[in-house]
Structures are given as C-alpha cells and as structure tokens.
Amino acid sequence: MSIRFGTDGWRAIMAADFTFANVAIVAQGIADYLLETEKAQKGIVLGHDTRFLAEQFADQVQAVLTANGIPVYRLQGPTPTPVTAYAIRALNTAGAIMLTASHNPPQYNGIKFIQEYAGPASPEITAQLEEKIGKVIAGGVNHQLPKPELVHSVDIWDKYWEHIDTIIDFNQICRIKGKIVLDPMFGAAAGKVAAKLQSCGLEVIEINGYRDAFFGGGLPEPVASRLQTLTQTVVQAKAVVGLANDGDADRFGVIGSNGEYLAPNQILSIISQYLLENGQKEGGLVRTVATTHLLDEIAGRYERKATETPVGFKYLAQEMLRRPVVLAGEESGGLSIGGHIPEKDGILANLLILQIIGATGQKPEEAWQLLQEQYGYYAFRRLDLHIENDRKNQLMQKLRNEPPLVFGQRQVLQQSLLEGVKLYLDDGSWVLFRPSGTEPVLRIYIEARSEQAYYDLIAAGEAAVK
C-alpha cells in the first residue's frame, strides 16, 4: 500500500484505507519529518471537523505524536480548517494536523498537514512526508506509550475572532437591514458564525447548523446543486443573502436575495473590485489557471498585477508568502486576502460579502450586475466528462502536440501548458482541459466573453471527448 498527498492532503474511504492503523502511520511520518527538521518541540495543533469518528482518529494522531515527544495543542470540538491554521500563528507551533476530507462524501476522511506559516504544505514538503510515510510502512510506528502530559486543550475561537476583527469591518456588517441565512452544511462552522453576527443585533437564520456525520445524505460542498434548501430559505424569508460553507469551512457559497447562486468566480471578482476600490494600496491579485480572467481586468484597472498559478491553494499560498497580495482565489471556492493567513478561509469570504453589502447597500447579484456593466460579459462553466483513461490520455497528448487552430468557431491564439492544456481564443474567451489523475474524468473549464461563445464552447468541449 502507498499513501499519497493529493492537491490538499491525504483522503481515503474510512474502513477501507482510512483506518486507525493507517492514520497512525501517517502521524508517525509527520512526526519523523518534524523531528528531523528540529521543530518538534514547538508542538503541533490538532484539529478535526464533524465527520464520523473524528475525535477517535484525532486521539490516534495525538497518541503517536506524544509518544514521539511532540507536544499537542488539541483544539476543543469540531474546528474549521482556517481556524486550525490560524491557531498555528496564535500558539507559535511547528504546524497543524487537520483531520478532514473537506467537501468529499461522508464515507471519506483525510489528513491535512498545515505548515508553520499557517498555509498548505508545499509540493516539496508533501514529497518529504510521503517519503517518511513510506519508510514507516516498511519499518513500523513508534510503540512507546503516549505522554498525556504533552497534551494541551485549547479553545482558539476567541483568538481567531480577535484577528478577524482586524481585517473585517464589523461596523459595516452590523448596518445590514434584513435577514441573513447561514448554511454551515452540518460542518465545523455550525453555530460559530451565527453567534458572531447575532452579537451585534443582526437577524440570522441558520439551517443545517448541527452535527451530522452524514451531512444530510449528501456532499458538504457549497455548490448550486447542494444549496437548494438554502436557496428556498432565502427566497421564503426574503433575506438579503444566503451564505454557505463546506464541511471544514475553507470553501464558500453565496445565494443572492433573488435565489440566484453566484459562482466563486463572480464572488472573487466582486470582492477584488471592492478591496482595490477601497484602499488596499499594496499588492496584486493571484488566481489559479482555472479561475476567471476578470480578475486580470480588475487588477489592470487599478494598475496592479495578476499572477496565475497551477490549481491548488498550496500554489496560491506560496505567492502570498513571496509578495504582497490583495486577494488570492480559486474557482472552486477558496479565498484569502492580505493580512490573513495563506490558507483558504470560507468564513472570511462570507464576511467580506457581508461587509460589501453593509458598506455599499448592494446585494451580491446587484454588485455582479455592476461589474458586468463595467467589464462586459463573462460566463463560466465546468464540464466533468467521463472518458476512459486511455482515450483521455490520447486526447491530452494530441492537444499538447497538435493544438487546434479553431475551437468553438473561434481562432486559437495561444496555448498554455502550465497545467493541462489551456487555449486562448480570439475574442478573449478561453478553455482549459484538465484531466483527473485519479479517475476517468476530463474536466473542461470554459470562460466565454459572449452568450454565443458560451454555448459554442460548451458544445465544442462535449464534442471533443466523443
């Protein structure tokens, strides 16, 4: 058996691969890495979300770490990934281990290692972890007795909110007139954000705000198809906005007052425009290769730079560590801003939307309409097309070696191989072909600059795999 860290940690099905024995192996590999880097005595933050047996899996990690002499700062109760990451800074530890499978189905769990800079481990670090884990698989886990005296129980929420108060203007948020609907999707943010907003007299309706390890029978992913109850509640309550987070609250989802789902590309654009318009004097924008180019236009309007990275917040985090950044975002619902940790934070994203509503009086759908009037038509779509691996590999090879001259009735001006194959078209539209590395799926990302291009590109993308 091999254990690999993907885009954001190791994830596997519980009772199949995600077992107590394998969790101990991963914990030992992380312990060996920390001991080798001589940072172990600073200790490790340990958090978990609301998944099945979360506490018990965390107990296993805790036992292995303390058996190796590593102090553990155990967070009390289910805790979001961004809050766990912030605890690294607040407690000055060597990093954090977060037990979560994020937005994956309920049968999954996972382990995410967050570096001492409070962001995702870089590819270089995960490669070292995989090497250590491989050696543990061959040689075994440290079976010395755990050391309970090395465990410190910590409630980190007050420190997290104190930090958020320095980057979010709650005075603006507290001006909002009307109802706000929150959907933590049975996850780790349940109750916490609602209480914070209610503390200044806002009228908050929280749905799915209790622990359910099966997430109501669905995925804890804040996308349109999973937010139907939130949409209905917003419309029925005549609320100003509906805001959602995934199971570990590192992703966001937004429903406008009219019941319209606003995709992350739209929300990232709205927030970027607001931050640059309102005094963020230093830094540019950072986005992944699959994220809207509207961010580039917005950056250019304010004479800032937009930087493109491969898919994965670990790449955005590295850019945040290198230079001043106003906003870093990805189309899958990840966001952070300058002054915050280099880890995606869905709680922060939703608070920024509330600040914009309070400061401008614009509901999210109104803010998006104004952006369209300023920058023109932008429409986004992701196609997840099932295609056998052999055929998928052949298609990707052909696209790399013989890129088409025309796609969706538009001329191809340029090709990028930063990740997958990205085609830049003559009207400003683009299409990205990105194969899954674990399943027979080809993901095609489309951004169109006209309604006709939108439908043409969807048709061309679907035809490409037939």
Side-chain angles (χ1 to χ4, degrees):
M1 172 189 170
S2 64
I3 293 174
R4 300 293 179 196
F5 281 67
T7 303
D8 204 10
W10 170 55
R11 295 176 191 173
I13 295 175
M14 286 182 276
D17 291 322
F18 200 92
T19 62
F20 286 104
N22 287 339
V23 166
I25 287 171
V26 173
Q28 184 64 59
I30 295 173
D32 290 343
Y33 165 77
L34 292 168
L35 291 166
E36 185 177 274
T37 56
E38 300 182 353
K39 298 175 182 176
Q41 291 309 310
K42 294 179 68 177
I44 284 290
V45 174
L46 179 57
H48 64 80
D49 63 13
T50 58
R51 287 176 182 267
F52 182 61
L53 293 177
E55 289 86 352
Q56 289 75 18
F57 284 122
D59 289 343
Q60 181 74 302
V61 173
Q62 176 179 295
V64 172
L65 293 178
T66 60
N68 283 271
I70 300 174
V72 171
Y73 295 87
R74 179 76 175 263
L75 301 183
Q76 297 174 7
T79 307
T81 291
V83 180
T84 300
Y86 180 72
I88 298 169
R89 283 193 179 173
L91 302 172
N92 191 30
T93 69
I97 294 175
M98 179 69 190
L99 287 148
T100 180
S102 190
H103 60 288
N104 281 40
Q107 64 268 33
Y108 281 79
N109 211 327
I111 291 180
K112 177 182 171 76
F113 181 63
I114 307 172
Q115 269 285 55
E116 62 181 335
Y117 49 73
S122 67
E124 293 77 18
I125 298 302
T126 56
Q128 292 180 51
L129 292 176
E130 288 175 355
E131 180 185 357
K132 298 294 183 189
I133 290 166
K135 291 180 178 178
V136 175
I137 292 172
V141 176
N142 183 346
H143 290 295
Q144 296 183 34
L145 290 176
K147 301 178 178 65
E149 66 274 15
L150 294 178
V151 179
H152 310 275
S153 180
V154 178
D155 183 349
I156 201 65
W157 276 99
D158 285 347
K159 290 184 180 297
Y160 174 78
W161 286 128
E162 287 174 9
H163 166 67
I164 291 296
D165 284 340
T166 68
I167 54 177
I168 290 291
D169 188 344
F170 279 93
N171 290 327
Q172 300 281 13
I173 292 176
C174 293
R175 294 177 182 175
I176 295 175
K177 304 298 182 184
K179 299 173 184 176
I180 299 165
V181 185
L182 301 180
D183 184 0
M185 303 189 84
F186 307 103
K192 300 295 187 178
V193 180
K196 177 68 172 176
L197 296 176
Q198 288 166 341
S199 68
C200 68
L202 291 174
E203 189 173 359
V204 179
I205 301 170
E206 185 178 59
I207 63 173
N208 303 323
Y210 57 92
R211 183 173 185 173
D212 178 358
F214 297 99
F215 304 109
L219 300 179
E221 184 176 16
V223 295
S225 60
R226 302 292 177 183
L227 297 178
Q228 295 176 355
T229 303
L230 176 60
T231 300
Q232 293 168 2
T233 306
V234 168
V235 173
Q236 290 170 2
K238 297 181 180 179
V240 176
V241 69
L243 302 169
N245 290 121
D246 66 339
D248 67 326
D250 66 350
R251 298 188 182 202
F252 62 88
V254 178
I255 302 294
S257 65
N258 58 356
E260 174 189 351
Y261 171 76
L262 286 98
N265 277 329
Q266 295 169 285
I267 297 302
L268 294 173
S269 301
I270 291 168
I271 294 174
S272 295
Q273 172 88 350
Y274 174 79
L275 292 176
L276 291 171
E277 183 73 25
N278 290 275
Q280 294 293 331
K281 297 179 180 179
E282 188 176 17
L285 305 179
V286 185
R287 60 164 177 80
T288 66
V289 66
T291 303
T292 177
H293 288 199
L294 177 52
L295 295 181
D296 301 53
E297 280 212 58
I298 293 170
R301 182 186 182 97
Y302 294 92
E303 299 182 344
R304 309 295 177 90
K305 180 181 178 182
T307 302
E308 182 176 83
T309 75
V311 173
F313 210 86
K314 58 189 175 185
Y315 298 107
L316 298 176
Q318 294 305 308
E319 292 297 325
M320 292 185 73
L321 294 169
R322 289 189 188 105
R323 60 177 66 88
V325 168
V326 172
L327 176 143
E330 55 186 356
E331 61 80 34
S332 57
L335 169 150
S336 189
I337 65 172
H340 193 41
I341 55 174
E343 176 64 274
K344 55 183 180 284
D345 190 341
I347 297 171
L348 172 70
N350 287 340
L351 291 174
L352 284 165
I353 285 296
L354 290 177
Q355 180 175 323
I356 292 169
I357 294 171
T360 67
Q362 298 167 4
K363 297 171 183 176
E365 66 272 24
E366 295 169 342
W368 174 247
Q369 181 59 40
L370 286 175
L371 276 185
Q372 295 266 72
E373 292 172 4
Q374 291 180 58
Y375 296 98
Y377 182 96
Y378 278 86
F380 327 98
R381 183 75 176 269
R382 189 180 100 176
L383 306 173
D384 288 354
L385 302 177
H386 291 268
I387 176 173
E388 292 302 319
N389 284 327
D390 287 346
R391 168 73 179 133
K392 178 179 68 177
N393 295 335
Q394 290 171 4
L395 176 59
M396 292 304 300
Q397 184 175 3
K398 184 175 181 180
L399 284 168
R400 293 186 191 98
N401 297 334
E402 303 174 35
L405 299 177
V406 175
F407 192 87
Q409 301 183 37
R410 279 147 187 86
Q411 290 186 342
V412 176
L413 299 182
Q414 185 180 351
Q415 176 196 39
S416 169
L417 302 180
L418 177 64
E419 180 161 337
V421 176
K422 188 171 184 177
L423 304 177
Y424 295 80
L425 309 179
D426 62 1
D427 66 341
S429 302
W430 56 265
V431 57
L432 169 67
F433 294 84
R434 182 170 172 262
S436 168
T438 58
E439 55 186 334
V441 171
L442 178 65
R443 295 187 174 92
I444 303 179
Y445 302 79
I446 290 166
E447 178 163 271
R449 296 305 313 275
S450 69
E451 188 173 2
Q452 183 63 50
Y454 178 72
Y455 292 108
D456 287 348
L457 293 175
I458 291 173
E462 292 173 338
V465 303
K466 293 181 179 177

